[in-house]
Amino acid sequence: GAGVSQSPSNKVTEKGKDVELRCDPISGHTALYWYRQRLGQGLEFLIYFQGNSAPDKSGLPSDRFSAERTGESVSTLTIQRTQQEDSAVYLCATGGARYEQYFGPGTRLTVT
Amino acid sequence: AQSVTQLGSHVSVSEGALVLLRCNYSSSVPPYLFWYVQYPNQGLQLLLKYTTGATLVKGINGFEAEFKKSETSFHLTKPSAHMSDAAEYFCAVSVGETSGSRLTFGEGTQLTVNP
């Protein structure tokens, strides 16, 4: 596709359940980032993948959060035992040329 | 570590008036600076960026921003607001490849354009 795609667009889950969010990058983009956007706030960095290098996980808020990416393909962000404070929009971005990041439309997660 | 401050969480202008959205940053190394726009229920779209070279950068939709190192600022302007400019605007800073070009964002400014 032409841009970054994310699925699902909306996810409602019960507290304590696990969720998996998916990001399909722009073809050829080696860098992939996950950010979280809480209501009325800016974006918080979560995790960064660059090719086959070890990911930068320094932004993950707890060990309930994990992400995977194989090579330069799809990435999944998993949140285990969801809590209400996990409710947010989760945005994926990919980058090819230096410093530019292209964002997907996001997944709106609501934990009830 | 870098940080971004956007002055004013809400800005309201009349159609045709000047748009000025303020952004100040802190960074221990030369920064790369970005403005993104977010329309309702959409992802972020890059408006413009400063990396090196000319300090006045022009972006899409008639927006421009000037990097002022002495003031640690990167304010976004547009001479004449359109109704379609109503959106949320985010300023962001990156310190480049050594930290994976991760972006640090300000908290955003909601722009309202009144007819």
Side-chain angles (χ1 to χ4, degrees), chain A residues 33 35 37 40-45 48 56 58-59 89 91 98-106 108, chain B residues 32 34 36 38 41-44 46 49 51 88 90 94 96-97 99-103 105-108:
Chain A
Y33 307 79
Y35 294 89
Q37 185 178 24
Q41 298 185 21
L43 280 72
E44 306 168 69
F45 166 79
Y48 159 63
D56 174 358
S58 60
V89 177
L91 289 159
R98 285 187 178 189
Y99 317 125
E100 290 196 16
Q101 295 184 24
Y102 298 86
F103 284 80
R108 183 177 298 278
Chain B
Y32 301 95
F34 306 80
Y36 283 85
Q38 185 176 35
N41 300 315
Q42 295 187 27
L44 277 70
L46 180 66
K49 68 180 187 289
T51 55
E88 188 148 25
F90 292 94
S94 164
E97 289 182 300
S99 57
S101 298
R102 57 192 271 185
L103 295 170
F105 286 85
E107 295 202 349

Side-chain angles (χ1 to χ4, degrees), chain B residues 1 16 28 35 64 75 102:
Chain B
S28 57
W35 276 99
E64 61 182 38
H75 301 331
R102 57 192 271 185

